[in-house]
Amino acid sequence: MLEQKYIDQAQYDEALADPVYDRILQTAAITEDTTPYSYFTDALIEDVIQDLMDEKGYSETQAYNLLYSEGLTIKSTQDLAIQQICDEEASNDAYYPIVEYGITDYALTIHRADGSAENYSKENLKQYLISVRGSAAPFVFSSEDEAKASIEQYKGTLGINTDAGDIVDERLNITLQPQVSVVLMDQYTGHVKAIVGGRGAKTTSLSLNRATASPKQPGSCFKVLSTYAPGLNECGMTLATTIKDEPYRYASGQPVNNWNNKYNGSARVRYAIEHSMNVCAVRTLTETVGLEKGYKYLENFGFTTLVNNDPNYPGMSDIAQATALGGIVYNIEMTAAYAAIANSGIYTEPLLYTEILDHDGNVLIDNSKPITRRVLKESTAFLLTSAMQDVINRGTGTPARLNNMPAAGKTGTTENSTDLWLSAYTPYYTCSVWTGYDEDKTLEQFWNQSWHEVIWKHIMDRIHAELEYKNFTPPASVVQRTICTQTGKLAVNGCPSITEYFDKDTLTKETCPGHGKTDDESKDDENNEDNSTNNNSGSSENLGNTNGDDGDDVDLIPPTPDPEPNPEPEGPEVIPQSRN
């Protein structure tokens, strides 16, 4: 700051002489944050600090001093009305199947009477709790009192003698469990409208933010991004492509299991997405897309948590068959990836602010133009959207179906139900909801595991209540055609057939030669066709199964859905956006 002339030499010398770290250590144990920042503001501060360092060349200390002491104005992308809705719905205890409490942070320092000091971490506490409670979720308790009692028992093993002059400094954070995170953004601008980093009372600023700083396994949400997106985009697949659904193994010999431990023999891509079929996803990534291509698509979708030959993670790589079923992600990056599909295949970097102004009103950083790139063809984005409408309308995401707006998205459930996800979007907004325990405790004891989908629905229903109804419309590069299910060619009279959306470039131009049916069979087909026509409402979205032999033929074209703020802390001025 001296070099930038924000302070003079005397102020610089005074700052260097200030024993700031001594003061921090003396007050850390007794300081209570009475007006903690919101989770959105926490994330915003981290972004601003990083950008001041990257774009202006400040050190971290200089960036913090500038942010807190120089009267900056930050124009936030937050929408306070949307944020309030997200906060209210995510914190509604009625949605969650159980109320428990977890120790999320712990540190202890014992200042002995002889002047020595001993430090104990959360990991030390964990080893003790495992020894007395077992290894299954040692940090999760039925009540706060039970958690605190266990900590007191642990402290009783450390030989603390306050009568002899021992002094204890302790940091403890106990939070509600299961936890939740929510990110909601405008897919067209990249503006993040709301962030929920957890539920329960937020007692400190810059605390654990599960939406932006706590990576989780995404489960089947990755299938669309790592596998079906590249498959449809450049590997010749269509939504009508048939995939074998039968016993399959990873290269290691380990079997790939469907979530219901059943096999259909075969399934089309649309059905495999709708019903989240593991074997189809792993087989497609392995045999059609290729592991490296799937990895590159994930990179292009903006994920920063991928690893491959990283010295910090020796022997680990996301160029793997299992990447079809998941990895490690941040909620905000998952939301941005699905927002790219919602935005016709254009990825837009998520933004928390548009401008930083100095105390004189001059623009210090202009962040109004986010990084964008095309990751999918417009046709591919629509095909995925169409398939994922089925997920919401009649697949694994039906509890999230909205009252007055179409939605498309994908559910995700990790092994043993430790993480539950829904990443989904409307023609207006993209939103992801994660729920689970901070310590990866299983949720499989709960038969109904859809409360995250219900949270998503209630958030989006409220946000869209006054918005004009819109539908997802196909681009000019997408057409509807009826094809023969046996040959995959354009259907003729007598073919067992389905009607599906296709990219013009991947649509077959060949016509089925027919199946040599007898006159009697042809008459039966004509009668069936007449009955089908009489039962059809006439809507192009109401096309049903015309192949009675194939159980995975369902209504292929998505039907129209039935109509059915935190106080500002002291520091920089943060200006949220008004509701659009």
Side-chain angles (χ1 to χ4, degrees), residues 82-399:
I82 292 178
Q83 181 69 63
Q84 182 174 350
I85 290 171
C86 291
D87 288 338
E88 289 173 356
E89 296 298 338
S91 63
N92 187 340
D93 291 343
Y95 295 143
Y96 300 87
I98 193 171
V99 175
E100 294 186 302
Y101 295 84
I103 298 172
T104 56
D105 187 27
Y106 186 74
L108 177 74
T109 298
I110 305 172
H111 302 277
R112 299 294 185 182
D114 62 4
S116 62
E118 300 170 10
N119 296 312
Y120 297 90
S121 66
K122 183 182 175 184
E123 184 61 30
N124 297 130
L125 174 62
K126 180 179 182 179
Q127 296 306 313
Y128 167 78
L129 292 176
I130 289 175
S131 70
V132 297
R133 305 182 76 229
S135 59
F139 286 127
V140 179
F141 299 84
S142 60
S143 68
E144 271 193 278
D145 288 342
E146 183 187 9
K148 291 177 180 178
S150 291
I151 290 173
E152 289 303 315
Q153 292 170 6
Y154 168 63
K155 288 160 64 176
T157 68
L158 301 179
I160 299 171
N161 188 345
T162 54
D163 292 337
D166 290 349
I167 299 173
V168 175
D169 286 339
E170 187 177 27
R171 185 178 71 244
L172 170 64
N173 190 28
I174 300 174
T175 61
L176 277 170
Q177 302 291 326
Q179 268 296 333
V180 68
S181 72
V182 180
V183 176
L184 189 146
M185 67 182 286
D186 182 329
Q187 55 254 29
Y188 307 109
T189 64
H191 290 186
V192 177
K193 299 297 184 179
I195 290 176
V196 178
R199 62 189 280 246
K202 190 173 188 296
T203 58
T204 61
S205 298
L206 302 177
S207 56
L208 175 64
N209 193 330
R210 296 166 185 84
T212 62
S214 181
K216 296 294 181 180
Q217 294 186 32
S220 294
C221 288
F222 245 31
K223 291 174 182 173
V224 169
L225 305 171
S226 67
T227 301
Y228 297 117
L232 293 169
N233 204 55
E234 61 173 292
C235 298
M237 299 185 76
T238 74
L239 291 179
T241 297
T242 298
I243 310 167
K244 290 182 179 180
D245 180 39
E246 56 191 24
Y248 193 73
R249 293 182 180 273
Y250 293 107
S252 65
Q254 179 183 352
V256 182
N257 297 313
N258 284 327
W259 62 269
N260 59 1
N261 294 314
K262 297 179 181 179
Y263 303 98
N264 285 8
S266 65
R268 295 184 183 88
V269 169
R270 178 184 287 274
Y271 187 89
I273 292 173
E274 176 188 336
H275 291 278
S276 199
M277 301 171 74
N278 294 341
V279 168
C280 290
V282 175
R283 183 188 291 273
T284 298
L285 180 62
T286 305
E287 299 178 4
T288 303
V289 173
L291 307 186
E292 290 194 9
K293 187 184 295 292
Y295 180 87
K296 290 185 182 299
Y297 266 75
L298 291 173
E299 285 187 315
N300 216 18
F301 273 118
F303 292 105
T304 62
T305 49
L306 304 171
V307 296
N308 183 41
N309 297 323
D310 189 327
N312 294 319
Y313 301 95
M316 297 181 65
S317 175
D318 284 313
I319 301 178
Q321 291 173 288
T323 302
L325 308 181
I328 296 290
V329 301
Y330 296 114
N331 188 323
I332 193 169
E333 293 182 352
M334 178 67 80
T335 305
Y338 272 79
I341 305 175
N343 189 26
S344 300
I346 298 175
Y347 172 85
T348 304
E349 179 185 33
L351 296 181
L352 302 185
Y353 72 94
T354 56
E355 274 188 331
I356 301 176
L357 308 178
D358 66 18
H359 61 281
D360 294 321
N362 300 312
V363 177
L364 190 60
I365 293 181
D366 183 350
N367 198 41
S368 59
K369 295 181 179 179
I371 296 172
T372 62
R373 58 181 174 269
R374 179 164 289 283
V375 296
L376 298 174
K377 294 184 294 185
E378 190 176 16
S379 57
T380 303
F382 178 79
L383 295 177
L384 290 171
T385 296
S386 177
M388 289 191 289
Q389 280 188 271
D390 283 356
V391 172
I392 302 297
N393 289 335
R394 56 175 174 267
T396 57
T398 52

Side-chain angles (χ1 to χ4, degrees), residues 46 100 151 212 343 364 389 401 445 451 468 506 580:
E46 293 178 357
E100 294 186 302
I151 290 173
T212 62
N343 189 26
L364 190 60
Q389 280 188 271
R401 187 171 179 176
Q445 69 270 32
W451 64 88
E468 180 184 357
T506 57
N580 290 333

Side-chain angles (χ1 to χ4, degrees), residues 239-240 270 386 479-482 498-502 556-557:
L239 291 179
R270 178 184 287 274
S386 177
V479 295
Q480 268 187 326
R481 292 291 185 270
T482 300
I498 60 167
T499 301
E500 181 58 276
Y501 285 121
F502 294 90
L556 290 166
I557 309 306

Side-chain angles (χ1 to χ4, degrees), residues 371-532:
I371 296 172
T372 62
R373 58 181 174 269
R374 179 164 289 283
V375 296
L376 298 174
K377 294 184 294 185
E378 190 176 16
S379 57
T380 303
F382 178 79
L383 295 177
L384 290 171
T385 296
S386 177
M388 289 191 289
Q389 280 188 271
D390 283 356
V391 172
I392 302 297
N393 289 335
R394 56 175 174 267
T396 57
T398 52
R401 187 171 179 176
L402 301 180
N403 293 335
N404 66 342
M405 197 69 64
K410 186 69 188 73
T411 56
T413 304
T414 60
E415 189 174 6
N416 300 321
S417 299
T418 54
D419 301 280
L420 306 178
W421 284 85
L422 176 62
S423 290
Y425 52 88
T426 70
Y428 288 94
Y429 295 112
T430 303
C431 178
S432 295
V433 175
W434 164 88
T435 186
Y437 285 87
D438 285 322
E439 295 299 321
D440 290 339
K441 180 181 177 181
T442 179
L443 294 163
E444 62 185 355
Q445 69 270 32
F446 303 113
W447 179 83
N448 186 343
Q449 297 178 4
S450 62
W451 64 88
H452 58 302
E453 299 175 43
V454 175
I455 291 170
W456 189 95
K457 170 186 167 57
H458 288 178
I459 287 172
M460 299 297 263
D461 268 341
R462 292 176 63 184
I463 289 170
H464 290 78
E466 303 300 324
L467 297 178
E468 180 184 357
Y469 181 89
K470 288 184 181 180
N471 215 332
F472 298 110
T473 56
S477 55
V478 170
V479 295
Q480 268 187 326
R481 292 291 185 270
T482 300
I483 64 166
C484 174
T485 59
Q486 291 186 9
T487 64
K489 298 177 182 180
L490 295 175
V492 297
N493 188 35
C495 286
S497 61
I498 60 167
T499 301
E500 181 58 276
Y501 285 121
F502 294 90
D503 182 323
K504 286 181 178 179
D505 294 337
T506 57
L507 175 65
T508 181
K509 295 178 175 56
E510 295 183 68
T511 300
C512 180
H515 301 275
K517 291 192 175 183
T518 66
D519 290 341
D520 289 340
E521 289 173 326
S522 296
K523 289 179 181 179
D524 289 341
D525 287 341
E526 289 175 6
N527 291 333
N528 290 336
E529 184 176 345
D530 289 340
N531 291 334
S532 175

